[in-house]
Amino acid sequence: MRLLRLLLCTGLLAWQGAQALVFTDGPWQGLLDAGRSDEMERQAQARLREQPQDLQASAAFALSQMTLADRKRVDAAARLMQDCVDQHPDEAICHYALASVMTMQARNGGAMKIISLAGPIRKHLQRALELKPDFIEARSSLHQYYLLVPAFAGGGVGKARELEEQVRASQPEFAKLMRARVAGSEKNWALAEKELLSVRIAADPSLLNEWRLVWGVLGKEWLDQRQYAKAIAGFERMLKEQPRQALAAYGLARIYFAQEQYDEAIRQYERAKEMDGAEDFPLDHRLGIALQAKGDKAQARAAFERYLQNRRASPSNAEDCRRRLKEIGPV
């Protein structure tokens, strides 16, 4: 159960750093790559008013709903994609988007919801990959599923290795990233780093986002181990490769905060807010914590209040903001 919960809370959210070819037309891929969920939602709604049967727009709309705090909207997105699967069972994007939204449904639900949706999530990811073997995002998500779920529940490292072996010849750089993820799941962080350093992004630019996500996992591990110099070097490397992506600045902010360098942490959080993918991170929540630690109560209060107005605020972070606002009191 612990592994299933871990899967559904963290493992299959990689769509937010989406790969090339999730979408094949329209503006959706660019918006997805940039992490601009609100704009993707707006444009998808406009397209669907004109063309209600547009599969790409339907999937874009569903994916834009995934991180909303409003569970009813996530559930509605799941129904939309179930209809897509029912009407177009041979469209990989319908299966992939449904699996992604189901992941958020499970995250929002209790233990029984997790158990009931784990199998369907796996089934739809497998079907998406059967229909489109070069679908990097579906393979990546299924790979994470196998690594996080034990064999008796449909997962297992063996299955994850098989997925990697299937693309070792055709997509060698992607295979390295998958091996790095396996190494990380086995706590072999040295091997994970070695595999990541060997990836030649120039040989396959479509892997930039996958590369960023795996590096992010390694950077978080270094942060947890208090290997701050290595963590900073990793996130700086990421920032050099992808200067517009918020993950690197967010990671740096977390490291500086852990070292009680509050001014630099605040600078990095503010920097991240102007970058692509900023919507994916609880920036005002974390910014408020840093400001509070620094002793700037007025700015901390403002940051917490902004976060509470964020339609993508997680319930747990929102609750922490409310608690901290009580601690701060009137200013």
Side-chain angles (χ1 to χ4, degrees):
M1 177 61 71
R2 183 184 68 83
L3 285 174
L4 286 175
R5 193 174 294 278
L6 178 62
L7 161 73
L8 297 169
C9 287
T10 62
L12 293 181
L13 301 184
W15 71 273
Q16 296 172 359
Q19 308 305 320
L21 301 181
V22 173
F23 296 104
T24 56
D25 62 35
W28 321 122
Q29 189 63 48
L31 294 170
L32 195 59
D33 285 341
R36 297 175 61 192
S37 297
D38 287 343
E39 180 62 16
M40 187 162 69
E41 176 190 48
R42 186 187 69 78
Q43 291 198 33
Q45 285 178 317
R47 175 72 66 83
L48 290 171
R49 283 194 291 270
E50 297 176 358
Q51 303 176 42
Q53 302 304 314
D54 188 320
L55 299 185
Q56 301 270 310
S58 294
F61 177 76
L63 293 179
S64 76
Q65 304 298 286
M66 279 184 55
T67 55
L68 291 177
D70 188 339
R71 296 183 181 184
K72 291 182 179 179
R73 297 194 66 167
V74 176
D75 291 344
R79 290 193 296 271
L80 176 67
M81 297 322 299
Q82 184 63 64
D83 289 343
C84 186
V85 167
D86 292 342
Q87 296 172 24
H88 307 278
D90 294 332
E91 289 287 347
I93 195 170
C94 296
H95 290 277
Y96 170 70
L98 178 56
S100 299
V101 178
M102 280 182 168
T103 298
M104 290 305 298
Q105 284 186 301
R107 181 183 181 183
N108 291 337
M112 295 307 296
K113 191 74 168 179
I114 292 171
I115 293 170
S116 68
L117 289 180
I121 289 169
R122 181 183 70 250
K123 180 189 73 172
H124 287 295
L125 288 174
Q126 289 172 332
R127 182 58 178 154
L129 201 54
E130 288 172 3
L131 292 166
K132 191 176 179 181
D134 63 348
F135 197 163
I136 288 176
E137 189 61 26
R139 187 175 297 273
S140 177
S141 294
L142 185 58
H143 191 245
Q144 292 174 72
Y145 183 104
Y146 287 152
L147 288 175
L148 291 164
V149 173
F152 70 82
V157 174
K159 291 181 179 179
R161 293 189 191 280
E162 288 176 7
L163 276 186
E164 180 267 320
E165 290 170 0
Q166 291 168 8
V167 296
R168 190 173 294 179
S170 61
Q171 296 174 293
E173 305 309 312
F174 182 31
K176 292 175 186 178
L177 289 170
M178 295 175 77
R179 290 198 297 273
R181 184 171 277 139
V182 170
S185 75
E186 296 177 332
K187 308 300 181 185
N188 189 342
W189 301 109
L191 179 58
E193 181 181 8
K194 180 180 178 181
E195 292 283 7
L196 280 170
L197 288 172
S198 74
V199 176
R200 295 178 300 117
I201 288 298
D204 191 350
S206 71
L207 294 174
L208 271 172
N209 294 306
E210 181 75 5
W211 177 88
R212 180 177 74 248
L213 291 168
V214 181
W215 264 114
V217 172
L218 184 57
K220 176 62 165 59
E221 178 62 25
W222 284 332
L223 171 60
D224 292 343
Q225 293 180 7
R226 299 185 179 182
Q227 296 186 45
Y228 299 133
K230 291 191 74 170
I232 288 173
F235 283 116
E236 289 285 6
R237 180 187 179 93
M238 186 189 305
L239 199 57
K240 182 179 179 180
E241 292 285 349
Q242 301 183 64
R244 285 299 309 160
Q245 288 291 337
L247 174 57
Y250 179 76
L252 288 170
R254 294 290 301 272
I255 297 163
Y256 288 121
F257 179 84
Q259 297 178 94
E260 299 183 0
Q261 297 182 38
Y262 301 130
D263 285 335
E264 184 59 22
I266 290 166
R267 188 180 79 83
Q268 293 293 346
Y269 283 134
E270 293 285 9
R271 181 186 190 186
K273 289 172 72 172
E274 303 303 318
M275 294 176 154
D276 291 342
E279 294 173 11
D280 296 340
F281 301 98
L283 290 171
D284 277 321
H285 177 220
R286 286 288 176 179
L287 177 61
I289 292 173
L291 288 162
Q292 186 180 16
K294 182 184 175 182
D296 191 338
K297 293 184 178 181
Q299 291 300 316
R301 170 174 282 280
F304 291 138
E305 289 176 344
R306 282 196 305 273
Y307 187 76
L308 291 175
Q309 297 302 311
N310 186 341
R311 62 202 292 261
R312 300 184 187 278
S314 77
S316 60
N317 286 343
E319 180 58 32
D320 185 64
C321 285
R322 286 188 283 268
R323 179 183 64 79
R324 290 176 179 276
L325 284 170
K326 289 182 181 179
E327 287 178 358
I328 293 171
V331 294

